[in-house]
Amino acid sequence: MTVLLPDGEIYPSAEIGTVVMPNDLEQLCDTVTGYSRYAVTESISRGYITARGGFRLGICGTAVIKNGCNTNMRDISSVIIRIAREMTGVGSGVLPQLLEDGVFRSTLIIASPGAGKTTLLRDLIRGLSDGSALCPPQRVAVVDERSEIAVMYQGLPQMSIGKHTDVLDACPKAIGIPLLVRSANPQIIAVDEITAAEDIRAILAASNCGVRFLATIHAADKQELQHKPLYAKLLKANVFSSVVTIGKDRQYRVEKL
């Protein structure tokens, strides 16, 4: 057993016990799911379990493959517990810079992995949804593909996402974006980690319907983003007007695209 903290990895004391056995992992998964692992089989097939409070268990073991797809996980060999931590208010200084005459401009959040993209994304969603003196409440729809933004647990969000936010949980972005355009009448659609060409196609189609976007993407800075072939079409189409870059010590820099 190890614990990864912001200042490095540590090992628990011998009194706690550092050897994790398969039975311990099985017991952990049973406890988190209320001894109803069958009810979260679909989530387990994607490699994780979401627990009450927003905690997330990443699971490794033997994949059960059927028809070329992973359908379950057996013989669990390791579990990575991600401790949920919400930081309300981190976007308060950023959000006013994303408005033009009180109207939100479609925005990309870019940073390296682990820099806090999802944390900032979540707080901006909350700020837009609740509104402020600078901007009235917005109808925000979230495609939470990996259940990391709202962290839904039995239909309830475990994180603060605002009063006017609809969440489509555990749905691929390419499927969820057009679904929300048809069903939720959103002013803004928020997604985490654009990674695939089909995601970009869905964003381009929805932007033509008047929907604005708030999204995150992996890149060190704006220059690196401009050199990635997958995103060239997205940038060329001028879907996004602003970019927020997260630097060292979570310093936020807002630029126009």
Side-chain angles (χ1 to χ4, degrees):
M1 181 190 299
T2 64
V3 181
L4 182 61
L5 300 174
D7 54 352
E9 189 173 20
I10 64 172
Y11 292 85
S13 65
E15 288 77 13
I16 297 176
T18 57
V19 179
V20 180
M21 302 301 292
N23 285 343
D24 299 323
L25 301 178
E26 296 289 345
Q27 179 67 50
L28 173 62
C29 292
D30 285 338
T31 301
V32 168
T33 60
Y35 291 86
S36 298
R37 253 193 273 180
Y38 66 88
V40 294
T41 300
E42 187 174 348
S43 175
I44 292 174
S45 71
R46 295 194 294 269
Y48 66 88
I49 299 173
T50 300
R52 183 187 297 274
F55 304 109
R56 184 184 178 98
L57 276 66
I59 302 171
C60 288
T62 302
V64 180
I65 304 297
K66 293 182 180 179
N67 299 322
C69 297
N70 185 37
T71 60
N72 207 337
M73 199 79 68
R74 61 178 177 81
D75 300 332
I76 297 173
S77 57
S78 62
V79 171
I80 301 89
I81 304 174
R82 186 171 182 175
I83 305 299
R85 185 177 63 157
E86 186 173 32
M87 299 177 67
T88 303
V90 295
S92 59
V94 175
L95 186 53
Q97 301 179 66
L98 309 181
L99 305 175
E100 188 170 308
D101 298 326
V103 178
F104 173 75
R105 303 191 304 261
S106 290
T107 299
L108 268 178
I109 301 171
I110 61 175
S112 301
K117 293 188 297 299
T118 304
T119 299
L120 177 60
L121 173 68
R122 183 188 300 118
D123 200 55
L124 291 175
I125 290 169
R126 181 193 58 80
L128 288 164
S129 179
D130 286 343
S132 66
L134 299 175
C135 178
Q138 302 290 296
R139 297 187 305 278
V140 183
V142 178
V143 186
D144 201 355
E145 183 169 358
R146 300 191 302 176
S147 304
E148 289 185 319
I149 302 172
V151 193
M152 302 297 286
Y153 181 80
Q154 296 182 356
L156 295 174
Q158 304 296 290
M159 301 291 182
S160 299
I161 53 171
K163 300 175 182 177
H164 298 85
T165 303
D166 299 307
V167 180
L168 186 59
D169 190 47
C171 180
K173 290 181 280 291
I175 296 173
I177 290 171
L179 194 158
L180 287 173
V181 170
R182 292 192 298 268
S183 64
N185 188 29
Q187 294 171 290
I188 300 166
I189 291 179
V191 298
D192 199 10
E193 297 191 6
I194 301 171
T195 57
E198 52 266 30
D199 298 344
I200 293 176
R201 285 194 292 270
I203 289 173
L204 290 174
S207 66
N208 291 328
C209 299
V211 178
R212 296 183 294 279
F213 277 89
L214 176 60
T216 71
I217 208 166
H218 283 316
D221 50 38
K222 187 169 68 173
Q223 287 69 35
E224 180 181 325
L225 182 65
Q226 291 171 335
H227 286 89
K228 290 188 174 185
L230 181 62
Y231 310 119
K233 184 177 180 181
L234 188 64
L235 297 176
K236 187 177 180 180
N238 295 318
V239 173
F240 292 94
S241 303
S242 303
V243 60
V244 181
T245 305
I246 304 177
K248 187 177 180 181
D249 297 325
R250 299 204 177 192
Q251 295 296 313
Y252 305 126
R253 185 174 73 253
V254 180
E255 301 173 87
K256 289 188 176 181
L257 284 172

